[in-house]
Amino acid sequence: MTPPLYTIIGTPFSTFTRSIALGLTYKGIPFTQVRCVPHSDTAYENHPFGFLPTLIIHEIDGKTVNLKLRESAAIARYIDKVAPEPSLHISPGDGKAIIEEQMWEFVSLAGAHGFPAVEKGVVKPRVAAIDAGQPTDSVIREQIKPAVEHLRTSLGKMEELMADEGYVFGSKLSWADFFLFPLLADLKATPEGESLSPRMLNWMEEMNKLEAVKATTPGTLSVGARPP
């Protein structure tokens, strides 16, 4: 059997890694996965700053290259180039979109603002406190209270950019959904998931029906996993 042309470097626990795995899976592109955490030896071997994920492209036009492509948005664009269908792009008129670039705007906002608000501010401190056997839920809530308030503000701003129903841009599934979903799946796995609005919860319910979401769930916080 011919090995897959692509390898993802990154643990399923990584939200950015899952975004890329979601795209590859949805488009039916086979890949292997090397599980590692950020800033590990393996991560630094494949990314100059030790971040995740890296996509190793083993072959291009029949020629072995083993090219290491870093940064999630760049990887997503490459995936679209080699497998344009099924499309994960939007068109003017999808949801609140007037121009196609609004999808990439949302992707950027999810990474630059959603990730710090969800993961760094709330999820990681909450999980670390639980794993350390630290005090009661009420004590942890008090410790992260400012971060939760910031999180609610951030989620509200993201929701303002979303269509009133359906996916982020209405009836059209896009990269915007695949970059937001791993963050909110982690959040929903914590008590702070109560910050999710009815709109966000309905969106997550639709996302959970996707085979790509089901296939990339193992190894994530939503099923109780922890970093390797």
Side-chain angles (χ1 to χ4, degrees), residues 18-113:
R18 190 180 185 189
S19 292
I20 297 306
L22 280 165
L24 288 168
T25 303
Y26 179 74
K27 288 175 176 284
I29 302 173
F31 63 92
T32 55
Q33 188 162 1
V34 175
R35 302 186 177 203
C36 70
V37 296
H39 309 299
S40 61
D41 289 344
T42 301
Y44 276 113
E45 287 170 4
N46 292 282
H47 191 294
F49 300 102
F51 290 139
L52 304 177
T54 293
L55 181 71
I56 301 180
I57 305 166
H58 296 294
E59 184 179 298
I60 297 177
D61 296 332
K63 180 181 178 180
T64 299
V65 292
N66 291 324
L67 173 68
K68 296 174 181 178
L69 185 62
R70 298 95 171 188
E71 298 302 292
S72 300
I75 296 171
R77 289 174 183 269
Y78 177 77
I79 292 171
D80 283 338
K81 180 179 178 181
V82 298
E85 297 296 335
S87 174
L88 283 170
H89 281 250
I90 63 168
S91 300
D94 288 333
K96 296 181 180 179
I98 297 175
I99 56 175
E100 296 177 14
E101 285 74 15
Q102 285 175 272
M103 180 196 73
W104 292 115
E105 173 192 60
F106 193 96
V107 166
S108 180
L109 290 171
H113 302 282

Side-chain angles (χ1 to χ4, degrees), residues 38 47 51 86 107 114 117 120 124 136 159 162 176 215:
H47 191 294
F51 290 139
V107 166
K120 292 184 177 180
K124 290 182 179 180
T136 62
E159 186 173 337
M162 296 172 64

Side-chain angles (χ1 to χ4, degrees), residues 157-224:
K157 291 180 179 179
M158 297 296 289
E159 186 173 337
E160 288 175 3
L161 301 174
M162 296 172 64
D164 294 334
E165 59 184 10
Y167 298 117
V168 170
F169 287 99
S171 61
K172 183 66 178 71
L173 181 70
S174 73
W175 281 110
D177 299 284
F178 283 169
F179 273 83
L180 182 62
F181 182 79
L183 296 173
L184 299 197
D186 277 6
L187 179 63
K188 194 171 186 296
T190 71
E192 284 65 44
E194 65 193 15
S195 299
L196 291 165
S197 69
R199 169 66 180 105
M200 291 293 197
L201 289 171
N202 289 337
W203 168 75
M204 292 191 73
E205 185 176 345
E206 286 301 306
M207 292 294 293
N208 279 318
K209 296 175 183 178
L210 298 173
E211 291 303 318
V213 167
K214 296 175 184 177
T216 57
T217 295
T220 67
L221 182 63
S222 62
V223 290

